[in-house]
Amino acid sequence: MLASTLIREARRAGLAADSLIPVGSLRRFSPDIGDVSLLGVAPSGRHRRVLDGFAKLPGVTTVVNRNPSEITVLSERGAARLLLAAPEHAGSALLWHTGSRAHVALLQARAESLGLSYADGMLSRNGAAVAGTTEDEVYRLLGLPFIAAELREGGDEIAAAERGALPHLLSDGHIRGDLHMHSSWSDGRDTIEDMVIASRQLGYEYIAITDHSERAWSSRKVLAEEVPDQRAEVMLLRDRYPNIHILHGIEVDIMHDGSLDFGDDLLAGFDIVLASLHDHGGHEPSWLTERYLRAIGNPLVNVITHPANRSPAHSTGYDVDFDRLFAAAAESGTAMEIDGAPGHLDLDGVLARRAIAAGVTLVVDSDCHRAEALARQMRWGVGTARRGWAEPRHVLNTRSVDDVRVFVARKRERG
């Protein structure tokens, strides 16, 4: 939010930079953002003017630090740093400041082996800068194909690039629908119709309205006796908005004994059923795992949402046996969710990659409670999925609504 606000205000103010790009952990969609940093590209002669303009943006209250190519400010939303690079070094600076440090260290070692030096955002040979106007150019000079920012964690991405095995990553444009969102029937702010209109504006072909069931921890939830009324509203909206498919779903809680909040007779009437474990109940990892496995074993459960129930910067989530969960999900035809809500970003990149390796179908959702945040939270979901090396073929909601219905029906028939 802070980065996007500053970029928006900078454009309105006509800041004399050719571009402003988020860098660091923010650009890599890391769940734990170390700081908010932007890279501005402008000729060196304009740097002073850019820094002066940035310091005067609406909401900026204090200049904490400044030098000829960098400024750190405090705003009403927090601290932010602007770094500047000349156009001829824009690519090498962008790569350098995006990180991660581990990835950049691997590139530095590779540069050295090629008789180059990569330091302080500049690629050079014998003290003279070499071309680096784009990241693609820097990677090419290092004998590598372009590596997406979300993969740059200093793991095996360089080795994968060398052997031509980088994934064809999921992107925003691959998403055809959002299968997890909340309305004012439970703890969402906006009506179902508001969510439908906003989703149509995003170009979605389908959505699922998935409010909380009656024993969820949320402030409001859908009672069993209210389900028919909610379904009637969905049916009405289907007639009103024929250009988008509206699935009537539910996010049902997994109870302490592994049963579900709503009974099977009620769940069978929904188009899609999401199951969540919001309350650990003080249980040991083995029983938390068993609770999940019982839900996965139910033929009416189609998606396990935010499986770790993590909260970035606050909690790593549940300590469960993910290998068992992924094996059961793959065998039963149950999808695992990558949740784009800032309070989850779960499955994280590492777990998502393990799920893919186990043959699990993923779903990337916004878990949105406000229409205005649908796009932003889906973008974070996609970024988190990319950190897990997810390709479109791994993700259910890159497929048509008919394919989603087949996915649901197949598990019910097998059950």
Side-chain angles (χ1 to χ4, degrees), residues 96-116:
W96 178 270
H97 292 297
T98 294
S100 67
R101 291 180 182 177
H103 180 79
V104 171
L106 293 174
L107 295 182
Q108 287 180 297
R110 189 177 186 87
E112 187 174 344
S113 72
L114 296 170
L116 298 166

Side-chain angles (χ1 to χ4, degrees), residues 240-256:
R240 189 175 298 169
Y241 300 99
N243 294 329
I244 185 169
H245 296 274
I246 309 169
L247 304 181
H248 186 211
I250 192 73
E251 183 181 3
V252 64
D253 266 44
I254 303 170
M255 300 290 97
H256 286 187

Side-chain angles (χ1 to χ4, degrees), residues 261-294:
D261 190 0
F262 283 169
D264 286 357
D265 288 346
L266 187 57
L267 293 178
F270 289 98
D271 297 312
I272 190 168
V273 175
L274 283 51
S276 303
L277 203 162
H278 290 109
D279 174 16
H280 63 75
H283 293 152
E284 294 296 317
S286 59
W287 184 244
L288 291 174
T289 301
E290 188 62 32
R291 287 169 64 185
Y292 268 134
L293 289 173
R294 291 188 181 189

